[in-house]
Amino acid sequence: MQWKRARAKWQALAGVALGLLFIFLAFRRVDLRQMLRALGGADYVLLLPVLAVVVLGLLLRSLRWKFLLAPIGEASTASLFASLNIGYMANTALPAHLGEILRAWHAGRKNGISAGSVFATVVIERMLDVLSLLLLLALALLVFPFPSWVRHSGALMLFLVVAAGLLLAWMKKNKDRALALCGRLRRILPHSASAFVGKMLEQFLRGVAPLKRRSHYPAVAFLSILIWASYALILQLLFHAFDFVHAYRLPWSAALVAMVITTISVVVPSSPGYVGSFHLLCQLSLGLFAVPRGPALSYAFVLHAVSVFPPFFLGLFFLARDRISLRSLRKAEIHA
């Protein structure tokens, strides 16, 4: 499928270009000596509890995903933990969240569920994350005056997630009409690609389903709170590792504000591994609390590393354990 290979190539090039642009903006007007002093003076012993909380957050996400998958098939938390880390590992190398497609493929393969249906639960999970982020933004607005671009980003994300939710609800309720409309749009595609898209859409709509039990709704909500609380704890522990709380008198709300702003780089498709966009937004969020650009960028690099490398290496481990080659992953991504 030449058009898919070309699409993947251009997506990768666009992602790398975005990452380089954001890295340039992050390093602009940075005092490198001040940045290196901050890196050298950090208390890296605190990375041990940070890494433990990172893994705990991944386990909580896997358990929440199990509840979202329950209406369409049974899956063990352990298998979903493996799929989640494989997807996150792929996100460090692929732009536009393409790793989410691979984790849906792996979870479907391991649990005997169609990949398209699994991917629907991944989309719903992302929508939950955006809604949670917007609730956190609303909470943070009570204690901190965000700049206008953050508020506008929140408003745009709210519009997009509501629009996506309404579209999914309409497609689920009017499945035949949705498939017929998709069929007309697929006429511009090659026959093989058109058939594949139609099959995946049917599988996807099967994955858009209410939770299996009423008790699962509060469980998913509670797990979402724990997931975000674990991320806030990671930021706070790293504030202490860099001595920012004492040096810059950071209030408790700093972790909440930084969490909201940095998560924008993760929610919005960007460069592979969120390189550049994550660092720039983290630097900007700490700048709101008078943390200099150099130390803020040092903090951003460490926060990014502890967020990315644990699932990256866990993903590699699960690939080796399941004897899945990188070539097969690449093939799955092209066919998705």
Side-chain angles (χ1 to χ4, degrees):
M1 293 185 178
Q2 293 288 347
W3 67 277
K4 288 189 176 182
R5 291 190 178 92
R7 179 198 66 181
K9 179 180 177 181
W10 283 109
Q11 283 176 333
L13 289 174
V16 170
L18 271 176
L20 291 174
L21 172 62
F22 288 131
I23 284 290
F24 166 76
L25 293 174
F27 270 97
R28 194 175 54 170
R29 297 195 301 272
V30 164
D31 186 331
L32 291 179
R33 288 177 296 182
Q34 193 180 35
M35 176 183 170
L36 293 175
R37 279 199 302 271
L39 278 174
D43 181 5
Y44 291 104
V45 173
L46 284 175
L47 287 187
L48 294 176
V50 166
L51 293 174
V53 177
V54 169
V55 175
L56 174 62
L58 294 169
L59 287 169
L60 292 171
R61 283 189 171 275
S62 304
L63 183 56
R64 185 181 66 173
W65 192 14
K66 182 178 180 178
F67 285 120
L68 297 177
L69 267 174
I72 58 174
E74 293 296 324
S76 68
T77 304
S79 69
L80 296 179
F81 182 73
S83 301
L84 183 72
N85 282 286
I86 287 172
Y88 284 3
M89 178 210 68
N91 274 339
T92 64
L94 300 173
H97 291 290
L98 291 177
E100 308 294 15
I101 297 174
L102 296 182
R103 75 156 154 139
W105 168 80
H106 183 267
R109 181 176 181 266
K110 295 292 289 184
N111 296 286
I113 309 172
S114 66
S117 297
V118 176
F119 184 66
T121 66
V122 174
V123 172
I124 292 170
E125 179 194 66
R126 284 298 179 184
M127 291 173 66
L128 281 174
D129 284 339
V130 174
L131 286 174
S132 300
L133 174 65
L134 294 173
L135 288 174
L136 288 170
L137 175 59
L139 174 62
L141 282 171
L142 298 176
V143 295
F144 187 84
F146 279 98
S148 60
W149 69 268
V150 177
R151 298 195 300 273
H152 293 159
S153 297
L156 177 60
M157 286 190 289
L158 177 60
F159 170 78
L160 292 176
V161 76
V162 169
L166 292 174
L167 177 61
L168 287 178
W170 180 86
M171 292 174 70
K172 184 68 177 179
K173 185 177 181 179
N174 303 276
K175 181 178 177 181
D176 292 337
R177 291 178 62 186
L179 290 173
L181 177 61
C182 180
R184 289 194 290 270
L185 296 175
R186 282 164 24 215
R187 291 173 185 171
I188 62 174
L189 299 175
H191 177 72
S192 59
S194 177
F196 176 79
V197 169
K199 177 183 175 183
M200 289 300 293
L201 180 60
E202 288 194 50
Q203 293 178 1
F204 180 88
L205 291 178
R206 282 199 296 271
V208 180
L211 295 181
K212 194 171 185 178
R213 299 173 185 167
R214 289 184 180 180
S215 61
H216 289 180
Y217 288 95
V220 167
F222 182 63
L223 286 168
S224 297
I225 293 172
L226 291 180
I227 288 166
W228 286 98
S230 67
Y231 187 35
L233 180 57
I234 290 168
L235 270 71
Q236 191 65 36
L237 286 171
L238 284 180
F239 283 160
H240 286 284
F242 278 83
D243 197 31
F244 283 178
V245 175
H246 177 262
Y248 304 109
R249 301 183 182 278
L250 293 187
W252 67 269
S253 57
L256 179 61
V257 171
M259 181 170 64
V260 169
I261 294 179
T262 56
T263 305
I264 293 173
S265 70
V266 178
V267 172
V268 179
S270 58
S271 57
Y274 325 112
V275 172
S277 58
F278 182 94
H279 300 83
L280 178 62
L281 289 177
C282 184
Q283 183 188 55
L284 290 174
S285 66
L286 294 181
L288 297 175
F289 296 92
V291 179
R293 295 175 66 90
L297 190 55
S298 296
Y299 178 93
F301 273 107
V302 174
L303 176 59
H304 182 263
V306 298
S307 301
V308 167
F309 285 122
F312 180 84
F313 289 114
L314 283 169
L316 288 179
F317 167 78
F318 289 121
L319 283 182
R321 186 200 65 179
D322 295 343
R323 297 181 179 179
I324 299 174
S325 66
L326 293 176
R327 178 179 293 182
S328 65
L329 278 184
R330 180 62 178 168
K331 184 178 179 181
E333 184 267 323
I334 289 176
H335 284 281

